[in-house]
C-alpha cells in the first residue's frame, strides 16, 4: 500500500493511518507492522531510495560512493529527475525482458501440455481399440476351439445307436436306429409296427439328432401294391407315422443344427 504525504520542508510530528477494506469479515484484524517514509513523489517500495544510500550497506561518503550533499539537495535532485520523466530503466527493462521470456516459456509449456493431453487421449483410444480386438480374438479362439472339438467328434461319429426303447407302444422284430456323422443324421426303421392309425409322440427323437427343419418321408408296407404312409420328424423331436398298418422298413437322412450331444442316446448297435 503506497501513499503520498505533502509536508513541505517540515518533518511530520504525527502520522495517522486509516485502513479501509471492503467486505472485511467482522472477526478480521489488521495490524500495521512497519511504515517507510521516502522523499519524492515516486515510491520505490522496499528497494533502497537514492536518499537512503548513506545508510545502505557498503555505501558511505568516506568511500566516495555518493556525492557530498545534504538531504535537501538530494531531495531537489530527485524531484528534478521526476519532473524530467527520466529514470534509470535498466532494472525495469531487465524485468520486462525477463517477464517476456517467462511468458514465452509459459506459452511453450502450455502448448506442450496440450500436446501431451492429446497424446494421452490418443493412447487411451488405442488402448480401448486393443481391448476390443483382444476381446474379439478371445471370442474367435473360443469358437475355433469349439469347431475343432466338433470336427474331432464329427470325424469319429456317434456310431449306430439303437433307440428303440425311446419309442413307447410299438412292436418290432428288429428296431429303430440312428447315427450322426458331422451335421448328417441317418434314421433306420427295420420291421417296426407302429400300430393302427396315427403314431404320434412329442419330444421323442433325441437331442443332437433332430432335423434342422421338419422332415417328411413316404413309407410303404407290402410289395406290389403297397400301402403308403407318411413319416414326419420335427426339429423339436416330435415323431409321427401315419399308416400303413403292420411292420415296414425305412431309411432317412437329414441335416441337423443341434449341438453335439454330451451323452449318446440308446445303446450301441
Amino acid at each position: 500500500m503506497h501513499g503520498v504525504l505533502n509536508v513541505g520542508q517540515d518533518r511530520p510530528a504525527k502520522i495517522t493511518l486509516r485502513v479501509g477494506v471492503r467486505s472485511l469479515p467482522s472477526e478480521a484484524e489488521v495490524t500495521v507492522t512497519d511504515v517507510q517514509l521516502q522523499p519524492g513523489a515516486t515510491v520505490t517500495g522496499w528497494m533502497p531510495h537514492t536518499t537512503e544510500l548513506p545508510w545502505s550497506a557498503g555505501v558511505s561518503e568516506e568511500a566516495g560512493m555518493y556525492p557530498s550533499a545534504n538531504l535537501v539537495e538530494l531531495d531537489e535532485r530527485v524531484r528534478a529527475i521526476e519532473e524530467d520523466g527520466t529514470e534509470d530503466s535498466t532494472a525495469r527493462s531487465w524485468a520486462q525482458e525477463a517477464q517476456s521470456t517467462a511468458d514465452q516459456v509459459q506459452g511453450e509449456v502450455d502448448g506442450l501440455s496440450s500436446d501431451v493431453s492429446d497424446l494421452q487421449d490418443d493412447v487411451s483410444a488405442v488402448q480401448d481399440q486393443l481391448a476390443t480386438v483382444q476381446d474379439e480374438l478371445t471370442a474367435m479362439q473360443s469358437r475355433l476351439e469349439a469347431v475343432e472339438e466338433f470336427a474331432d467328434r464329427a470325424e469319429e461319429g456317434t456310431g449306430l445307436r439303437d433307440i428303440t426303447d425311446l419309442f413307447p407302444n410299438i412292436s418290432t422284430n428288429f428296431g429303430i436306429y440312428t447315427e450322426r456323422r458331422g451335421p448328417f443324421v441317418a434314421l433306420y426303421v427295420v420291421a417296426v409296427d407302429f400300430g393302427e392309425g396315427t403314431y404320434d409322440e412329442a419330444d421323442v427323437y433325441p437331442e443332437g439328432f433332430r432335423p434342422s427343419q421338419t422332415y417328411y418321408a413316404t413309407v410303404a408296407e407290402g410289395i406290389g401294391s403297397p400301402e403308403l404312409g407318411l413319416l414326419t420328424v420335427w426339429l423339436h423331436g416330435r415323431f409321427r407315422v401315419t399308416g400303413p398298418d403292420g411292420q415296414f422298413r425305412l431309411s432317412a437322412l437329414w441335416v441337423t443344427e443341434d449341438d453335439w450331444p454330451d451323452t449318446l442316446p440308446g445303446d450301441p448297435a
Side-chain angles (χ1 to χ4, degrees):
M1 180 175 63
H2 297 158
V4 178
L5 299 175
N6 295 318
V7 296
Q9 300 298 326
D10 299 329
R11 292 185 179 183
K14 180 180 180 181
I15 297 177
T16 302
L17 297 180
R18 179 184 299 170
V19 180
V21 181
R22 295 181 179 179
S23 302
L24 185 67
S26 59
E27 66 275 8
E29 295 182 357
V30 177
T31 302
V32 178
T33 60
D34 198 0
V35 175
Q36 182 183 37
L37 300 179
Q38 294 178 331
T42 301
V43 182
T44 63
W46 296 111
M47 298 298 293
H49 195 271
T50 54
T51 59
E52 300 167 352
L53 291 177
W55 301 277
S56 300
V59 179
S60 65
E61 183 178 3
E62 291 77 7
M65 299 299 293
Y66 67 96
S68 300
N70 57 33
L71 294 179
V72 175
E73 292 175 346
L74 290 176
D75 184 58
E76 291 177 353
R77 289 186 182 182
V78 170
R79 291 181 182 276
I81 291 175
E82 290 174 347
E83 292 175 358
D84 292 341
T86 60
E87 58 181 357
D88 186 4
S89 61
T90 302
R92 179 173 297 180
S93 176
W94 178 87
Q96 291 175 346
E97 292 178 1
Q99 183 63 44
S100 176
T101 303
D103 292 341
Q104 181 179 357
V105 172
Q106 184 62 45
E108 294 176 354
V109 170
D110 293 340
L112 290 176
S113 299
S114 177
D115 293 340
V116 170
S117 179
D118 293 340
L119 288 175
Q120 289 175 339
D121 293 339
D122 293 341
V123 169
S124 298
V126 171
Q127 289 176 339
D128 293 340
Q129 294 176 357
L130 289 176
T132 301
V133 171
Q134 184 62 43
D135 293 341
E136 293 176 352
L137 289 176
T138 301
M140 292 177 62
Q141 182 65 31
S142 299
R143 291 195 293 269
L144 178 60
E145 292 174 355
V147 169
E148 291 177 346
E149 182 181 0
F150 180 88
D152 293 340
R153 292 184 176 182
E155 184 177 358
E156 297 175 0
T158 63
L160 193 63
R161 310 292 299 182
D162 183 352
I163 57 173
T164 306
D165 293 340
L166 299 180
F167 297 82
N169 304 319
I170 65 171
S171 61
T172 178
N173 294 330
F174 290 94
I176 302 174
Y177 306 90
T178 191
E179 180 180 10
R180 177 175 176 177
R181 185 176 294 274
F184 302 104
V185 176
L187 166 66
Y188 306 98
V189 178
V190 183
V192 176
D193 185 353
F194 289 95
E196 297 180 1
T198 299
Y199 179 87
D200 193 347
E201 289 290 341
D203 299 326
V204 67
Y205 214 84
E207 294 183 4
F209 294 79
R210 297 172 178 178
S212 58
Q213 59 185 1
T214 304
Y215 177 84
Y216 301 94
T218 301
V219 297
E221 187 272 331
I223 301 176
S225 298
E227 182 181 355
L228 299 179
L230 179 66
L231 167 69
T232 308
V233 183
W234 279 266
L235 53 88
H236 50 72
R238 186 177 181 182
F239 188 93
R240 175 190 289 178
V241 177
T242 304
D245 296 336
Q247 295 184 347
F248 65 88
R249 294 174 179 268
L250 168 70
S251 62
L253 180 68
W254 62 70
V255 174
T256 183
E257 294 180 355
D258 288 355
D259 293 334
W260 196 267
D262 295 329
T263 302
L264 296 179
D267 300 313

